[in-house]
Amino acid sequence: MEPIPSEETGLGPEAMEAPDGEILGKMIRDARKEKGLTLEEAARAAAIGRSTLSKIENNQTRPSFEIIRRLMQTLELETPQLFVQSGQSGVTGRRDFTRTGLGEHKETSTYDHELLCSELTSKRMVPYISTIKARDVTEFDNWVRHRGEEFMFVLSGELILYTEHYRPLRMGPGDSVYYDSGMGHGCVSVSEEDAKVLWVSLEV
Amino acid sequence: MEPIPSEETGLGPEAMEAPDGEILGKMIRDARKEKGLTLEEAARAAAIGRSTLSKIENNQTRPSFEIIRRLMQTLELETPQLFVQSGQSGVTGRRDFTRTGLGEHKETSTYDHELLCSELTSKRMVPYISTIKARDVTEFDNWVRHRGEEFMFVLSGELILYTEHYRPLRMGPGDSVYYDSGMGHGCVSVSEEDAKVLWVSLEV
DNA sequence: GGAAAAAGTTTCCTATAGGAGACGCAACGT
DNA sequence: ACGTTGCGTCTCCTATAGGAAACTTTTTCC
């Protein structure tokens, strides 16, 4: 076995500074203190080592995702707080109905979704505006369905909200509705023009 | 140096199964595919190695928090999705569908809140429409502050959103904003008439 | 089909994450 | 002062994360 493979020289992780700066450790320590736990107790609860937790809190290590997830659970830390770092604005958005390119736009034959505040990746609720294309009323061969809850607010147009367990609901501007999005649902515009709807979705 | 410290025998990470199962990798791969990126491109954008990304997607590694955070940013993955795994309880019982009725009314000197979908008590998000009364601009002696996140959508009027950590943000109809509501915040209507705002709040 | 390019996987290597336990250091009673 | 106890840090060690490049597979042209 030759000592060095000549040109290959696996260099490893190299530089890669931690952009979090001093934030992550501090937040975790604060959260632990808040709950009145000692290193020992917190580490035990999260099933990690006492020393590991100490290093994390002192920013002496770049912990694995798994470890952080456990700590979050134990300390009941909300994910957004952890991901909002390095002065990244917690406030974003600011937008008219105009869409702003990139991958924030999703279109199907029925809907035209535009995510709001998509620059903020760490949020738990997902707000978006959908244009429901005017079309003939047909039955739903496949419901929209996704684990969580959803709030819907009609901005313009007239539409009918079909749901799996309830009677269809005719809605107009200003009307709103709240439902478990695990229940099949779907909208049909009944006005001449497309209907615009604001949705806020919360995944479980 | 003695060979083995007898009883100490640093054992290392030991078992520690990955509770994520096969989920994490799949979600990241899906997200990448969705954006039409190759391993090379995605890895580059996230400033990580191609091989690393491959291993992550195939669940052959337990990536660091830092790496995951970068990927989330690059792939615009929402954090909640990533953290959903530990068979967390379903949520939302039966009466999970409700339409806005009247709703409760809460009035302060500045705001006039009307809860939406208030018949449904089991919901996690709280939507309401507020009328922000036109008044002189004054500084905020006490911020509004409550643990959680908030999404705000301007329905009508012009207003300025003051926040504790960011510059004031002038907003008009159609504008929206998302923030950690633990950060102090408050609105002032700057138009002649009152401003109307739709808020969706998620308590922690 | 076959060559070439592109995409993805595996190998190989170093740096390091993370656990066990030693150590440091208060704050106490006695 | 001296244990003693409880909390946090540091040392030491193994297993492994993650990058570079080799390798394999898939796709694309001709």
Side-chain angles (χ1 to χ4, degrees):
Chain A
M1 52 181 91
E2 65 286 347
I4 296 177
S6 177
E7 205 218 349
E8 188 182 338
T9 323
L11 233 213
E14 56 157 44
M16 187 196 281
E17 80 295 310
D20 301 272
E22 311 294 289
I23 306 300
L24 185 72
K26 181 174 180 355
M27 280 200 304
I28 290 182
R29 170 149 293 180
D30 289 348
R32 176 171 65 81
K33 292 290 189 188
E34 181 115 0
K35 299 204 78 178
L37 296 173
T38 67
L39 272 182
E40 173 72 29
E41 295 167 328
R44 201 172 226 315
I48 69 175
R50 188 164 82 264
S51 54
T52 301
L53 181 50
S54 171
K55 286 176 204 164
I56 291 173
E57 293 188 351
N58 291 306
N59 295 296
Q60 288 169 8
T61 191
R62 253 154 35 85
S64 72
F65 180 66
E66 172 59 21
I67 295 288
I68 291 297
R69 210 175 45 59
R70 293 193 204 171
L71 281 172
M72 291 198 334
Q73 226 147 284
T74 300
L75 301 176
E76 299 180 58
L77 258 175
E78 295 306 321
T79 68
Q81 292 165 240
L82 284 183
F83 287 92
V84 173
Q85 31 79 231
S86 59
Q88 182 49 298
S89 67
V91 180
T92 36
R94 177 98 185 133
R95 153 168 330 150
D96 310 68
F97 292 104
T98 62
R99 63 188 51 112
T100 48
L102 307 174
E104 302 154 8
H105 198 252
K106 214 180 303 178
E107 189 165 356
T108 69
S109 59
T110 317
Y111 301 105
D112 193 356
H113 300 300
E114 182 196 1
L115 288 181
L116 300 178
C117 307
S118 57
E119 307 93 304
L120 219 204
T121 58
S122 57
K123 57 200 190 301
R124 296 179 60 204
M125 297 184 288
V126 180
Y128 55 98
I129 286 180
S130 297
T131 302
I132 300 167
K133 300 172 186 169
R135 61 159 187 172
D136 289 342
V137 177
T138 57
E139 81 292 342
F140 289 92
D141 37 3
N142 51 351
W143 299 102
V144 177
R145 200 193 298 276
H146 39 102
R147 276 173 61 86
E149 300 175 30
E150 209 156 61
F151 170 71
M152 174 179 143
F153 181 89
V154 180
L155 295 169
S156 68
E158 286 283 329
L159 56 87
I160 295 182
L161 172 65
Y162 291 92
T163 56
E164 208 169 14
H165 306 320
Y166 303 91
R167 301 196 12 235
L169 190 60
R170 193 190 176 98
M171 305 178 70
D175 285 341
S176 61
V177 88
Y178 197 108
Y179 53 88
D180 182 329
S181 52
M183 168 183 70
H185 58 282
C187 287
V188 168
S189 168
V190 293
S191 45
E192 282 297 303
E193 77 282 18
D194 298 341
K196 268 200 182 334
V197 166
L198 171 68
W199 257 308
V200 181
S201 175
L202 175 66
E203 309 231 349
V204 177
Chain B
M1 53 179 86
E2 65 287 345
I4 296 177
S6 177
E7 204 220 349
E8 189 183 337
T9 323
L11 235 212
E14 57 156 39
M16 187 198 279
E17 80 295 310
D20 301 274
E22 312 294 289
I23 305 300
L24 185 71
K26 181 172 180 353
M27 279 201 303
I28 290 182
R29 170 149 292 181
D30 289 349
R32 177 173 64 80
K33 292 290 190 188
E34 182 112 2
K35 300 204 77 179
L37 297 174
T38 67
L39 273 182
E40 174 73 29
E41 294 167 329
R44 201 171 227 318
I48 68 176
R50 189 163 82 262
S51 55
T52 302
L53 181 49
S54 170
K55 286 176 203 162
I56 290 172
E57 292 188 352
N58 291 307
N59 296 295
Q60 289 169 7
T61 191
R62 254 155 31 86
S64 71
F65 180 66
E66 172 58 22
I67 294 288
I68 291 298
R69 208 175 47 59
R70 294 192 203 170
L71 281 172
M72 290 198 334
Q73 225 147 285
T74 300
L75 302 176
E76 298 180 57
L77 260 175
E78 301 297 328
T79 68
Q81 294 164 235
L82 284 183
F83 288 91
V84 174
Q85 32 73 237
S86 50
Q88 211 16 333
S89 71
V91 138
T92 56
R94 219 51 275 271
R95 298 249 40 119
D96 43 17
F97 185 86
T98 183
R99 184 192 191 167
T100 291
L102 14 117
E104 296 152 33
H105 215 246
K106 210 181 304 177
E107 191 166 354
T108 69
S109 59
T110 317
Y111 300 105
D112 193 356
H113 300 300
E114 182 191 2
L115 288 180
L116 302 177
C117 308
S118 57
E119 308 93 302
L120 216 205
T121 56
S122 62
K123 58 198 191 302
R124 296 179 57 204
M125 297 184 288
V126 180
Y128 55 96
I129 287 181
S130 297
T131 301
I132 301 167
K133 300 173 186 168
R135 60 159 186 169
D136 288 344
V137 178
T138 57
E139 82 292 341
F140 290 91
D141 38 4
N142 52 350
W143 301 101
V144 176
R145 198 193 300 277
H146 39 102
R147 272 178 64 83
E149 300 175 31
E150 210 155 60
F151 170 71
M152 175 179 143
F153 182 90
V154 180
L155 295 169
S156 68
E158 286 282 330
L159 56 87
I160 295 182
L161 171 65
Y162 291 92
T163 56
E164 207 169 15
H165 305 321
Y166 303 93
R167 304 203 1 242
L169 192 59
R170 192 191 176 99
M171 304 178 70
D175 286 341
S176 60
V177 90
Y178 197 108
Y179 52 87
D180 182 329
S181 52
M183 169 184 68
H185 58 283
C187 288
V188 168
S189 169
V190 292
S191 47
E192 283 297 302
E193 76 282 19
D194 297 342
K196 267 202 182 336
V197 166
L198 171 67
W199 257 308
V200 181
S201 174
L202 176 65
E203 309 237 347
V204 176

